Amino acid sequence: MKPAFATLLLVCLILSSSMFEISLAGYEGFCSPKCAMRCSKAGMRDRCLKFCGICCSKCKCVPSGTYGNKHECPCYRDMKNSKGKPKCP
């Protein structure tokens, strides 16, 4: 009985991890173009894309435009860095 349970648990774990990767890939596909638009006029584009990607993956949204409009995504707007300043571009 124990080997069958262990096998079942292992199969469930593998299936759930593959589903998690698929769902992350979906958000990556969602976040990349949105962050590219958001950071298109940024002076430090690489840095902007990095933090926008982090914020988008956590919040599942990116405000429209290249600046401002953070009221469209409260999670994105309210995320702060360790110094208490806005984390998301």
Side-chain angles (χ1 to χ4, degrees), residues 1-18:
M1 184 69 174
K2 285 185 180 183
F5 179 73
T7 304
L8 180 64
L9 186 62
L10 184 61
V11 169
C12 289
L13 183 63
I14 291 170
L15 288 175
S16 66
S17 69
S18 65

Side-chain angles (χ1 to χ4, degrees), residues 20-87:
F20 180 70
E21 286 178 18
I22 290 169
S23 67
L24 281 180
Y27 282 118
E28 224 174 82
F30 169 80
C31 292
S32 294
K34 298 262 187 189
C35 286
M37 174 60 190
R38 182 84 179 163
C39 297
S40 64
K41 294 183 180 178
M44 293 188 228
R45 192 161 194 254
D46 292 340
R47 186 174 170 195
C48 180
L49 287 170
K50 175 185 173 185
F51 287 108
C52 180
I54 291 168
C55 295
C56 179
S57 64
K58 288 184 181 179
C59 297
K60 316 291 189 271
C61 65
V62 176
S64 61
T66 57
Y67 185 80
N69 300 325
K70 290 188 177 181
H71 64 278
E72 296 174 355
C73 184
C75 170
Y76 193 96
R77 175 193 65 212
D78 297 337
M79 201 176 293
K80 306 287 184 201
N81 64 16
S82 61
K83 296 178 183 176
K85 294 185 177 185
K87 181 174 192 151

